[in-house]
Amino acid sequence: GLPEGGVLGPTSYISLPDTLLKTLYAAFKHIICLLHVDDPAFAVQTHEQAQQVLHSLDEWCDLHGAEFHVTDKKTVVCAIGHNPNDVLPPLVLRGKQLTFLSCHKRWLGWLFAPDGGAAATMKHRIGIASGKYSIWAGLVRSGALPLSDALPLFESLVDSCLAPFRWLYILADDSKDTLNTLLNRWAKHVFAPDIWTSGTIHRWELGWSVSGFDRAVLDVARRRAKLIMLPEDSWFKRWYEWASVCCSNTWAQRSKLI
């Protein structure tokens, strides 16, 4: 292993997750792997598959001399869709039983509002993005950041905070008015105009030809295209196609109407 903070740490870390992901994707057909800095998250379909993945992690650690920090608060299991009163068989990693969470809200809080739902999540994301916007707008209005540099920075600093799951929270009843008003207000604030001037005009002056809601529509189109282009035997594509016809209240059905 490498000591934490060592000069070889960053370079070695880049290579280690790459081997881990290749190992898991080669061994398991239906698995989602996410890496948030040095915190991995794995999504699988069954309890049996979860233990098989953990066994693969054990073997990967032994092969590469790596270790996971396994504690009852650091390494946890979110069992989605089961009865909370049911006792699930233990899952083991590095010889230690993992903790099953009774509540998932804490672990989904970055992407979703703690109380869930499309409208609440949209409000949650707007709150985070607004804080980043205040920093950005302050730099622009003070003259410290020229518009030629500010516009690309807006996309990476501000809009990137709105983007996570925008394709999903667009289903909120008031998403169109909320997202359009938000972007127009932000454009208007950059120029500090008279209250009677139009935010839409200032949005076009900044080169933001796509409205706040239309940005979300593009996210929906990209998400649908990605699912449609998956291989025919993809588990995700099969679920998407099933949800498109099974009932009218799924995202697959409702997103067609946007």
Side-chain angles (χ1 to χ4, degrees):
L2 295 168
E4 185 173 355
V7 294
L8 295 178
T11 302
S12 300
Y13 176 73
I14 291 174
S15 62
L16 276 175
D18 185 60
T19 64
L20 174 59
L21 295 182
K22 286 180 177 178
T23 298
L24 293 177
Y25 282 129
F28 302 98
K29 190 173 183 180
H30 303 310
I31 184 174
I32 300 174
C33 303
L34 301 174
L35 291 173
H36 181 60
V37 191
D38 60 343
D39 292 328
F42 309 105
V44 296
Q45 299 179 53
T46 66
H47 182 280
E48 180 182 7
Q49 189 183 37
Q51 186 55 66
Q52 291 173 351
V53 169
L54 294 175
H55 180 68
S56 293
L57 295 180
D58 279 331
E59 293 180 338
W60 178 84
C61 286
D62 294 337
L63 179 63
H64 295 279
E67 278 298 338
F68 288 99
H69 184 201
V70 182
T71 69
D72 58 349
K73 294 183 179 180
K74 181 70 174 177
T75 311
V76 297
V77 180
C78 296
I80 307 296
H82 82 290
N83 187 333
N85 296 321
D86 292 342
V87 178
L88 297 175
L91 292 171
V92 179
L93 174 64
R94 308 308 285 162
K96 299 179 181 179
Q97 288 191 15
L98 304 186
T99 301
F100 282 87
L101 294 180
S102 58
C103 175
H104 308 141
K105 292 178 181 178
R106 172 190 169 196
W107 299 89
L108 298 178
W110 186 85
L111 292 177
F112 302 95
D115 51 353
T121 297
M122 179 173 66
K123 182 178 179 181
H124 182 63
R125 301 309 315 165
I126 288 175
I128 295 173
S130 295
K132 300 295 185 181
Y133 169 81
S134 297
I135 298 171
W136 178 85
L139 292 172
V140 174
R141 294 183 62 178
S142 69
L145 187 64
L147 275 178
S148 58
D149 296 329
L151 295 178
L153 183 61
F154 175 87
E155 303 298 330
S156 60
L157 178 69
V158 183
D159 191 67
S160 64
C161 294
L162 285 174
F165 284 85
R166 184 163 51 190
W167 57 271
L168 184 58
Y169 69 69
I170 192 178
L171 298 183
D173 292 336
D174 60 343
S175 64
K176 185 173 184 177
D177 289 340
T178 299
L179 293 174
N180 283 342
T181 300
L182 177 70
L183 195 62
N184 288 347
R185 186 173 72 245
W186 281 351
K188 191 173 181 178
H189 180 71
V190 172
F191 294 100
D194 183 89
I195 60 173
W196 302 110
T197 57
S198 169
T200 303
I201 292 175
H202 290 295
R203 177 168 60 80
W204 278 89
E205 288 177 339
L206 286 171
W208 295 344
S209 58
V210 180
S211 69
F213 181 74
D214 286 345
R215 287 174 178 242
V217 172
L218 287 173
D219 288 345
V220 170
R222 282 190 287 263
R223 174 64 56 168
R224 290 179 62 91
K226 183 178 180 179
L227 290 166
I228 291 171
M229 294 298 291
L230 288 173
E232 291 300 324
D233 62 347
S234 167
W235 178 76
F236 302 102
K237 183 172 184 176
R238 290 202 302 269
W239 270 102
Y240 168 73
E241 292 175 340
W242 174 82
S244 297
V245 298
C246 73
C247 57
S248 60
N249 201 36
T250 63
W251 177 85
Q253 275 279 3
R254 293 177 63 184
S255 61
K256 292 180 183 178
L257 307 177
I258 294 174

